[in-house]
Amino acid sequence: MSSESDLAANLFGLQQLNKLLHHWKSHLFQGLISGEKCVLKLVIGSQDVDLIDAASSAIAGACNEHLQICKLETEGLSDLPIYMAPVIPVSHEKFVGSAAEAFLKKQGLGFDVLVFLDDVQEVIGLSEQSHVDPNFAARIDLIYTGGPPPTTAAATPTAGSCGLHVSWGAFTLLEKLGLLVPSRCGPAIFMGEIYGTNGRELALKDCLTLARDAMLELTRQLDAKLEAVLWNRTDNDLVEAIGAILKGTPTVRAAA
């Protein structure tokens, strides 16, 4: 499944996503020490899945939240500064030497742009108080990543219904981006500026690359023995769709 785009990612990393993560991390900590009235949003990966899945789905979840924040700001519905970042759900110590560290390092994402559980543990503990104490400076929102809602998963197999949180996060992100540019669906979606991303469309494209690579890593390149265990046909379709978008070529389906 290698390609020229894969080679470029390995050589240079996901540069635009790296910049966005760095921006989020630095601004989050600026918000924490400023003491100003603000909203802090922490998108936290699950501790119940593989750490590669947890980390990648936290990043995808943050990208989804970024689009929601852009929408609020565009519509003038955000009256306070909002600081947001994805959180890797382990400590620095547990992350060191893990398969997740190696995976993200290949993507050009390291400690300088990542936020870990021990970075924000105290902040997380204050979330409930921040929602009930009117004198509390910041409102702390905790957003936990996961798979599709049970009703959605039960109705029909969908992305992530076999347990891949990153698949659901990528599916949701791609769906939201498609709604922003309905005239440029499919492989053409990134062929131009996407209004509503605050100029971060290339970083979001990098996020889809990360998600696709995570899905392939976690399923051993969509190993047939793991079908219906870790992945389903919708996950496979999502991997192919992202691949087509990254190459800028249409996805051709066989006639039924």
Side-chain angles (χ1 to χ4, degrees):
M1 299 228 178
S2 61
S3 67
E4 291 182 4
S5 60
D6 296 329
L7 179 60
N10 289 334
L11 289 174
F12 304 111
L14 304 176
Q15 294 183 2
Q16 296 303 316
L17 182 58
N18 183 295
K19 290 178 182 178
L20 181 56
L21 290 171
H22 184 272
H23 171 82
W24 284 340
K25 181 176 181 178
S26 61
H27 280 70
L28 175 70
F29 286 108
Q30 287 175 19
L32 285 172
I33 65 176
S34 70
E36 68 176 327
K37 281 282 187 181
C38 64
V39 178
L40 302 175
K41 290 181 176 286
L42 301 177
V43 184
I44 307 170
S46 173
Q47 295 182 331
D48 297 329
V49 297
D50 186 286
L51 189 53
I52 292 175
D53 193 7
S56 301
S57 61
I59 293 171
C63 288
N64 275 299
E65 195 63 30
H66 171 76
L67 292 180
Q68 182 62 28
I69 293 171
C70 289
K71 186 174 186 293
L72 290 174
E73 292 176 344
T74 299
E75 296 176 352
L77 299 177
S78 175
D79 54 351
L80 292 174
I82 301 175
Y83 304 104
M84 183 269 299
V87 179
I88 313 300
V90 295
S91 65
H92 289 77
E93 183 180 1
K94 289 185 177 180
F95 185 74
V96 172
S98 67
E101 181 192 21
F103 171 77
L104 291 176
K105 187 176 181 180
K106 288 180 181 178
Q107 309 287 337
L109 307 176
F111 284 94
D112 57 324
V113 300
L114 299 175
V115 177
F116 295 89
L117 196 59
D118 48 338
D119 291 323
V120 292
Q121 191 73 66
E122 184 176 351
V123 179
I124 291 173
L126 295 171
S127 174
E128 184 175 348
Q129 181 184 353
S130 77
H131 283 260
V132 297
D133 185 350
N135 297 316
F136 211 83
R139 190 188 82 217
I140 304 166
D141 294 343
L142 306 181
I143 303 161
Y144 292 93
T145 63
T151 52
T152 303
T156 181
T158 189
S161 60
C162 285
L164 287 178
H165 289 186
V166 66
S167 180
W168 178 248
F171 175 83
T172 306
L173 179 60
L174 192 54
E175 185 176 53
K176 289 180 178 178
L177 288 168
L179 291 174
L180 291 175
V181 283
S183 63
R184 299 204 316 260
C185 60
I189 191 168
F190 289 103
M191 294 181 180
E193 181 181 358
I194 301 179
Y195 180 75
T197 67
N198 197 21
R200 298 291 188 174
E201 54 273 330
L202 294 182
L204 303 184
K205 183 179 181 181
D206 277 354
C207 180
L208 291 175
T209 301
L210 173 71
R212 180 203 59 171
D213 290 354
M215 292 166 67
L216 290 172
E217 179 75 17
L218 291 162
T219 61
R220 301 174 196 165
Q221 305 295 310
L222 296 173
D223 187 339
K225 294 179 181 178
L226 297 177
E227 185 174 0
V229 178
L230 282 179
W231 65 275
N232 57 40
R233 300 313 300 176
T234 310
D235 295 313
N236 179 80
D237 290 346
L238 179 60
V239 167
E240 291 184 355
I242 293 174
I245 287 170
L246 298 177
K247 293 176 183 178
T249 56
T251 303
V252 179
R253 285 183 171 275

